[in-house]
PDB file of all heavy atoms in Angstrom:
ATOM      1  N   ALA A  21    -120.992  73.823 -23.467  1.00  0.00           N
ATOM      2  CA  ALA A  21    -120.362  73.356 -22.226  1.00  0.00           C
ATOM      3  C   ALA A  21    -120.161  71.845 -22.269  1.00  0.00           C
ATOM      4  O   ALA A  21    -119.116  71.350 -21.847  1.00  0.00           O
ATOM      5  CB  ALA A  21    -121.211  73.743 -21.016  1.00  0.00           C
ATOM      6  N   ARG A  22    -121.131  71.128 -22.806  1.00  0.00           N
ATOM      7  CA  ARG A  22    -121.004  69.664 -22.909  1.00  0.00           C
ATOM      8  C   ARG A  22    -119.774  69.307 -23.744  1.00  0.00           C
ATOM      9  O   ARG A  22    -118.982  68.441 -23.379  1.00  0.00           O
ATOM     10  CB  ARG A  22    -122.263  69.063 -23.537  1.00  0.00           C
ATOM     11  CG  ARG A  22    -122.258  67.541 -23.571  1.00  0.00           C
ATOM     12  CD  ARG A  22    -123.559  66.964 -24.147  1.00  0.00           C
ATOM     13  NE  ARG A  22    -124.715  67.444 -23.410  1.00  0.00           N
ATOM     14  CZ  ARG A  22    -125.680  68.223 -23.926  1.00  0.00           C
ATOM     15  NH1 ARG A  22    -125.641  68.591 -25.190  1.00  0.00           N
ATOM     16  NH2 ARG A  22    -126.687  68.611 -23.176  1.00  0.00           N
ATOM     17  N   ALA A  23    -119.619  69.987 -24.880  1.00  0.00           N
ATOM     18  CA  ALA A  23    -118.474  69.710 -25.753  1.00  0.00           C
ATOM     19  C   ALA A  23    -117.156  70.055 -25.070  1.00  0.00           C
ATOM     20  O   ALA A  23    -116.196  69.285 -25.125  1.00  0.00           O
ATOM     21  CB  ALA A  23    -118.618  70.496 -27.058  1.00  0.00           C
ATOM     22  N   LEU A  24    -117.110  71.202 -24.416  1.00  0.00           N
ATOM     23  CA  LEU A  24    -115.861  71.629 -23.781  1.00  0.00           C
ATOM     24  C   LEU A  24    -115.532  70.802 -22.545  1.00  0.00           C
ATOM     25  O   LEU A  24    -114.386  70.417 -22.337  1.00  0.00           O
ATOM     26  CB  LEU A  24    -115.943  73.114 -23.417  1.00  0.00           C
ATOM     27  CG  LEU A  24    -116.021  74.067 -24.612  1.00  0.00           C
ATOM     28  CD1 LEU A  24    -116.327  75.475 -24.130  1.00  0.00           C
ATOM     29  CD2 LEU A  24    -114.750  74.032 -25.429  1.00  0.00           C
ATOM     30  N   LEU A  25    -116.533  70.527 -21.720  1.00  0.00           N
ATOM     31  CA  LEU A  25    -116.286  69.762 -20.494  1.00  0.00           C
ATOM     32  C   LEU A  25    -115.955  68.310 -20.796  1.00  0.00           C
ATOM     33  O   LEU A  25    -115.339  67.636 -19.972  1.00  0.00           O
ATOM     34  CB  LEU A  25    -117.501  69.853 -19.568  1.00  0.00           C
ATOM     35  CG  LEU A  25    -117.783  71.250 -19.017  1.00  0.00           C
ATOM     36  CD1 LEU A  25    -119.138  71.286 -18.322  1.00  0.00           C
ATOM     37  CD2 LEU A  25    -116.678  71.702 -18.088  1.00  0.00           C
ATOM     38  N   GLY A  26    -116.334  67.829 -21.974  1.00  0.00           N
ATOM     39  CA  GLY A  26    -116.014  66.466 -22.369  1.00  0.00           C
ATOM     40  C   GLY A  26    -114.668  66.339 -23.068  1.00  0.00           C
ATOM     41  O   GLY A  26    -114.252  65.248 -23.431  1.00  0.00           O
ATOM     42  N   GLY A  27    -113.980  67.466 -23.240  1.00  0.00           N
ATOM     43  CA  GLY A  27    -112.691  67.458 -23.928  1.00  0.00           C
ATOM     44  C   GLY A  27    -111.560  66.991 -23.044  1.00  0.00           C
ATOM     45  O   GLY A  27    -111.727  66.706 -21.859  1.00  0.00           O
ATOM     46  N   ARG A  28    -110.394  66.920 -23.630  1.00  0.00           N
ATOM     47  CA  ARG A  28    -109.208  66.428 -22.923  1.00  0.00           C
ATOM     48  C   ARG A  28    -108.555  67.465 -22.032  1.00  0.00           C
ATOM     49  O   ARG A  28    -107.866  67.117 -21.096  1.00  0.00           O
ATOM     50  CB  ARG A  28    -108.168  65.953 -23.938  1.00  0.00           C
ATOM     51  CG  ARG A  28    -108.602  64.723 -24.679  1.00  0.00           C
ATOM     52  CD  ARG A  28    -107.525  64.282 -25.610  1.00  0.00           C
ATOM     53  NE  ARG A  28    -107.940  63.087 -26.319  1.00  0.00           N
ATOM     54  CZ  ARG A  28    -107.275  62.533 -27.284  1.00  0.00           C
ATOM     55  NH1 ARG A  28    -106.139  63.073 -27.681  1.00  0.00           N
ATOM     56  NH2 ARG A  28    -107.725  61.458 -27.874  1.00  0.00           N
ATOM     57  N   ARG A  29    -108.751  68.750 -22.371  1.00  0.00           N
ATOM     58  CA  ARG A  29    -108.082  69.804 -21.613  1.00  0.00           C
ATOM     59  C   ARG A  29    -108.952  70.273 -20.461  1.00  0.00           C
ATOM     60  O   ARG A  29    -110.030  70.812 -20.681  1.00  0.00           O
ATOM     61  CB  ARG A  29    -107.773  70.975 -22.529  1.00  0.00           C
ATOM     62  CG  ARG A  29    -106.736  70.638 -23.589  1.00  0.00           C
ATOM     63  CD  ARG A  29    -106.476  71.791 -24.505  1.00  0.00           C
ATOM     64  NE  ARG A  29    -105.903  72.905 -23.768  1.00  0.00           N
ATOM     65  CZ  ARG A  29    -105.652  74.073 -24.312  1.00  0.00           C
ATOM     66  NH1 ARG A  29    -105.912  74.286 -25.588  1.00  0.00           N
ATOM     67  NH2 ARG A  29    -105.145  75.046 -23.597  1.00  0.00           N
ATOM     68  N   PRO A  30    -108.501  70.093 -19.230  1.00  0.00           N
ATOM     69  CA  PRO A  30    -109.270  70.606 -18.096  1.00  0.00           C
ATOM     70  C   PRO A  30    -109.160  72.133 -18.036  1.00  0.00           C
ATOM     71  O   PRO A  30    -108.167  72.710 -18.463  1.00  0.00           O
ATOM     72  CB  PRO A  30    -108.589  69.955 -16.889  1.00  0.00           C
ATOM     73  CG  PRO A  30    -107.198  69.691 -17.338  1.00  0.00           C
ATOM     74  CD  PRO A  30    -107.276  69.421 -18.821  1.00  0.00           C
ATOM     75  N   PHE A  31    -110.183  72.781 -17.538  1.00  0.00           N
ATOM     76  CA  PHE A  31    -110.139  74.226 -17.377  1.00  0.00           C
ATOM     77  C   PHE A  31    -110.985  74.624 -16.181  1.00  0.00           C
ATOM     78  O   PHE A  31    -111.781  73.834 -15.683  1.00  0.00           O
ATOM     79  CB  PHE A  31    -110.571  74.947 -18.653  1.00  0.00           C
ATOM     80  CG  PHE A  31    -111.912  74.522 -19.177  1.00  0.00           C
ATOM     81  CD1 PHE A  31    -113.058  75.178 -18.791  1.00  0.00           C
ATOM     82  CD2 PHE A  31    -112.022  73.469 -20.060  1.00  0.00           C
ATOM     83  CE1 PHE A  31    -114.297  74.790 -19.255  1.00  0.00           C
ATOM     84  CE2 PHE A  31    -113.244  73.070 -20.550  1.00  0.00           C
ATOM     85  CZ  PHE A  31    -114.394  73.737 -20.143  1.00  0.00           C
ATOM     86  N   THR A  32    -110.809  75.859 -15.731  1.00  0.00           N
ATOM     87  CA  THR A  32    -111.494  76.314 -14.527  1.00  0.00           C
ATOM     88  C   THR A  32    -112.420  77.492 -14.771  1.00  0.00           C
ATOM     89  O   THR A  32    -113.032  77.982 -13.828  1.00  0.00           O
ATOM     90  CB  THR A  32    -110.469  76.701 -13.443  1.00  0.00           C
ATOM     91  OG1 THR A  32    -109.632  77.734 -13.954  1.00  0.00           O
ATOM     92  CG2 THR A  32    -109.628  75.500 -13.028  1.00  0.00           C
ATOM     93  N   ALA A  33    -112.523  77.955 -16.025  1.00  0.00           N
ATOM     94  CA  ALA A  33    -113.388  79.105 -16.301  1.00  0.00           C
ATOM     95  C   ALA A  33    -113.973  79.013 -17.706  1.00  0.00           C
ATOM     96  O   ALA A  33    -113.329  78.499 -18.624  1.00  0.00           O
ATOM     97  CB  ALA A  33    -112.598  80.400 -16.163  1.00  0.00           C
TER      98      ALA A  33
END
Side-chain angles (χ1 to χ4, degrees):
R22 185 177 304 115
L24 294 171
L25 294 170
R28 292 182 180 173
R29 293 178 64 184
F31 54 91
T32 59

